[in-house]
Amino acid sequence: MVLVFLAVLVITAMSLYDILSRDPALVRLAPKAVWLFLVIVLPLIGAGLWFLVGRRPEPADGGTAEGRTGRTVVVRESPTASPAAPPAAPAPRRPGAPLSTEEQLAALEREIEEDRIARRIAELETELRRRRGDDGEPA
């Protein structure tokens, strides 16, 4: 009888720890608070339901759950953020590691800005050629 009680206690503790430490994007069917309440009130049933249906497995590639759910998350700086505060230095990555979502967004923003600049340069060159005329001399 004591072993059954210890087994239930260990399973409940494991599920509580897992719920508390899990990213909210990896929780299914209900918010973390509901899962905590369910595990505390009905330890064996709540823990069993949590491990069977409540938790989404962590991505094998080290990414986030958004890739599998089809959701797109757009991260923007809050307007109240201090512009004088320098951005945090990115943590060093091991070679060949996939880019984080923030790194992918930053790379995409750089690419968009470079494309915008290239288009503007092309427009200005066209305007300059038009103003100079066919002979290439300034008007």
Side-chain angles (χ1 to χ4, degrees):
M1 194 66 176
V2 173
L3 288 177
V4 172
F5 173 75
L6 286 176
V8 170
L9 186 65
V10 167
I11 290 171
T12 302
M14 287 173 44
S15 62
L16 289 173
Y17 176 78
D18 192 41
I19 293 169
L20 291 172
S21 64
R22 187 159 292 273
D23 182 6
L26 297 173
V27 176
R28 289 193 285 191
L29 302 178
K32 288 169 71 169
V34 173
W35 283 111
L36 286 170
F37 178 76
L38 187 63
V39 170
I40 291 170
V41 172
L42 302 168
L44 196 55
I45 295 171
L49 286 173
W50 166 251
F51 285 115
L52 290 174
V53 297
R55 62 195 302 259
R56 197 175 268 139
E58 295 196 26
D61 63 355
T64 61
E66 287 81 18
R68 284 196 313 275
T69 62
R71 293 182 298 177
T72 302
V73 176
V74 178
V75 179
R76 297 197 175 147
E77 220 174 83
S78 74
T80 59
S82 171
R93 278 190 321 114
R94 59 184 166 84
L99 296 176
S100 70
T101 303
E102 291 82 12
E103 291 171 326
Q104 291 175 355
L105 287 172
L108 183 59
E109 287 173 357
R110 281 192 304 272
E111 185 178 337
I112 290 170
E113 183 63 19
E114 290 169 0
D115 185 57
R116 187 190 65 76
I117 291 170
R119 280 187 278 126
R120 180 67 180 145
I121 289 172
E123 289 171 4
L124 291 172
E125 287 174 343
T126 303
E127 177 69 18
L128 181 62
R129 272 190 242 107
R130 186 187 62 78
R131 287 187 180 187
R132 285 188 176 169
D134 294 335
D135 60 357
E137 293 297 317

